[in-house]
């Protein structure tokens, strides 16, 4: 995404998101998720931790987005929230016991389908390469180098996302490259691209947004609380539930739409474009329906086995669609490079 397009997207979608437009917020998440995750990864040097911090950052942004004034403050504020959370994590005790919500855990599993043994090995290996390489790179160059490879090696885009001049970006890139041997630089580039957050990340954010509705209001809105059938409190609670679901689904649909449009612009054949559109619609529908079902079963007294079965079904379906989606994306990348 060019800097001009990014600026226009923020100027258009930030006010809409502040009015509660979840689809607009989904586009903001998709446009900035690699930047936020890269800022967090530069501090933590751990891919999984950086994605957790990025998710927390976007949930905080959704809760406080109404407090922002000028659209120009959005990116600096988002970067600062991510950086502060990452620093706090590094300073805190690394392992501590926290209560785990099994439904939210299943949401994450279904949103990020499991890889096969060979692919998982490559993913783990990439994470190790990133961690080792980041230790060698100067701190001021880490987020720049990560984002450079995650955003298609475009210095103008990196400069816009990180609030730097192009000259500063090129200088920090050179410092980062100089710190790594040629073979390690190649591994770093591959690992940075392969670990960039995608649709699974947006789906997880969407599921978390859906879970933000107060349980009491959700129960009343779904007719599970006393007096929920009455128009007053029950009606307001139902609106709260529907609003949370709309926000969650909007994040996912907006992100899928933005990434689909990105690859449509690079596809050269009509057949590939049709396949990308078809796959995008199917992918968004699956993720959106899963989020809706997740919110419903939370208060429908499903047994753990029933919830697990639902997650397994969606893992299989989303995995199949994800495989096809990656094939189309790889083809558009090859076409664009040729």
């Amino acid at each position: 995404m060019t800097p001009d397009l990014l600026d226009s997207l923020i100027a258009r979608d930030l006010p809409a998101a502040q009015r509660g437009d979840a689809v607009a917020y989904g586009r903001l998440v998709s446009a900035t998720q690699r930047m936020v995750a890269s800022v967090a990864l530069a501090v933590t040097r751990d891919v999984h931790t950086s994605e957790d911090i990025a998710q927390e950052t976007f949930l905080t942004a959704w809760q406080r987005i109404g407090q922002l004034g000028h659209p120009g403050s959005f990116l600096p504020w988002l970067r600062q929230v991510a950086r502060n959370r990452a620093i706090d994590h590094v300073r805190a005790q690394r392992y501590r016991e926290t209560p785990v919500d099994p439904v939210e855990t299943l949401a994450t599993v279904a949103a990020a389908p499991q890889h096969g043994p060979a692919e998982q090995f490559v993913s783990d290996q990439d994470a190790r390469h990133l961690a080792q390489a980041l230790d060698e790179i100067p701190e001021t160059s880490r987020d720049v180098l990560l984002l450079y490879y995650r955003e298609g090696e475009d210095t103008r885009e990196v400069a816009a996302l990180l609030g730097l001049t192009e000259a500063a970006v090129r200088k920090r890139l050179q410092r980062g490259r100089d710190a790594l041997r040629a073979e390690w630089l190649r591994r770093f580039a591959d690992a940075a691209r392969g670990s960039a957050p995608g649709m699974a990340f947006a789906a997880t954010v969407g599921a978390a947004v859906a879970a933000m509705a107060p349980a009491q209001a959700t129960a009343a809105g779904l007719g599970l609380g006393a007096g929920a059938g009455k128009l007053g409190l029950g009606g307001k609670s139902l609106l709260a539930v529907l609003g949370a679901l709309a926000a969650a689904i909007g994040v996912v649909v907006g992100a899928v739409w933005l990434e689909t449009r990105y690859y449509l612009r690079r596809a050269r054949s009509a057949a590939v474009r049709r396949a990308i559109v078809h796959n995008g619609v199917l992918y968004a529908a699956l993720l959106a329906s899963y989020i809706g079902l997740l919110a419903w079963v939370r208060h429908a007294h499903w047994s753990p086995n029933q919830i697990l079965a639902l997650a397994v079904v969606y893992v299989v379906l989303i995995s199949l669609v994800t495989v096809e989606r990656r094939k189309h994306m790889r083809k558009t990348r090859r076409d664009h490079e040729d």
Side-chain angles (χ1 to χ4, degrees):
M1 183 180 297
T2 64
D4 291 341
L5 184 58
L6 177 64
D7 289 342
S8 63
L9 184 146
I10 293 174
R12 179 195 66 197
D13 287 338
L14 180 60
Q18 290 175 318
R19 294 191 298 269
D21 187 335
V23 175
Y25 187 66
R27 289 193 290 267
L28 291 173
V29 170
S30 183
T32 59
Q33 62 185 13
R34 289 182 290 274
M35 178 269 289
V36 171
S38 295
V39 168
L41 180 56
V43 176
T44 64
R45 302 190 296 283
D46 182 86
V47 174
H48 298 300
T49 300
S50 69
E51 290 199 358
D52 288 343
I53 290 170
Q55 290 166 24
E56 293 173 10
T57 299
F58 283 116
L59 292 179
T60 299
W62 177 247
Q63 291 174 313
R64 302 179 185 174
I65 200 166
Q67 301 173 11
L68 290 176
H70 192 272
S73 64
F74 177 67
L75 285 179
W77 177 74
L78 206 58
R79 290 193 300 267
Q80 195 58 48
V81 172
R83 188 170 288 110
N84 288 344
R85 285 185 176 275
I87 291 171
D88 288 343
H89 174 85
V90 170
R91 287 175 178 170
Q93 183 179 356
R94 188 169 181 83
Y95 298 104
R96 59 183 182 271
E97 293 184 4
T98 54
V100 177
D101 185 333
V103 178
E104 290 182 10
T105 301
L106 290 174
T108 304
V109 171
Q114 298 297 303
H115 301 303
E119 191 171 358
Q120 185 62 51
F121 173 77
V122 173
S123 176
D124 293 343
Q125 202 171 45
D126 285 348
R128 287 194 297 272
H129 288 160
L130 274 178
Q132 292 169 6
L134 286 169
D135 284 337
E136 303 296 326
I137 297 171
E139 288 188 24
T140 56
S141 296
R142 289 173 184 168
D143 53 357
V144 172
L145 201 59
L146 282 166
L147 199 55
Y148 176 72
Y149 290 114
R150 287 178 166 183
E151 292 289 347
E153 304 182 26
D154 188 329
T155 55
R156 290 183 64 231
E157 190 167 346
V158 173
L161 284 166
L162 293 180
L164 301 169
T165 64
E166 278 195 79
V169 167
R170 286 193 290 269
K171 186 174 181 179
R172 295 187 188 189
L173 279 174
Q174 191 59 49
R175 286 177 180 171
R177 288 166 171 161
D178 290 345
L180 297 175
R181 299 189 304 274
E183 177 63 18
W184 271 104
L185 182 61
R186 183 190 64 77
R187 291 182 181 180
F188 177 89
D190 291 342
R193 295 187 192 100
S195 63
M199 290 301 98
F201 177 90
T204 306
V205 172
V209 169
M212 288 168 62
Q216 184 177 357
T218 305
L222 293 176
L224 299 174
K230 298 179 181 179
L231 180 60
L233 178 60
K236 291 180 180 178
S237 299
L238 179 58
L239 288 177
V241 175
L242 293 178
L245 286 176
I249 293 172
V251 168
V252 173
V253 173
V256 172
W257 172 82
L258 198 62
E259 185 169 288
T260 299
R261 190 177 69 166
Y262 174 87
Y263 284 101
L264 278 174
R265 289 177 174 175
R266 286 157 175 75
R268 294 186 177 180
S269 71
V272 171
R273 284 193 289 270
R274 284 195 300 271
I276 291 173
V277 171
H278 179 268
N279 186 273
V281 171
L282 184 58
Y283 198 79
L286 276 172
L287 293 176
S289 65
Y290 182 78
I291 290 172
L293 283 171
L294 179 68
W296 179 70
V297 302
R298 218 178 227 287
H299 301 281
H301 306 295
W302 276 34
S303 71
N305 286 338
Q306 289 175 312
I307 297 173
L308 181 60
L310 174 67
V312 169
V313 169
Y314 270 87
V315 164
V316 173
L317 292 175
I318 295 173
S319 295
L320 293 174
V321 177
T322 300
V323 169
E324 289 301 312
R325 188 171 183 81
R326 287 173 179 169
K327 288 180 182 177
H328 300 319
M329 290 175 178
R330 283 196 294 269
K331 179 161 182 60
T332 55
R333 287 194 190 102
R334 288 195 298 269
D335 290 345
H336 189 63
E337 289 170 357
D338 293 340

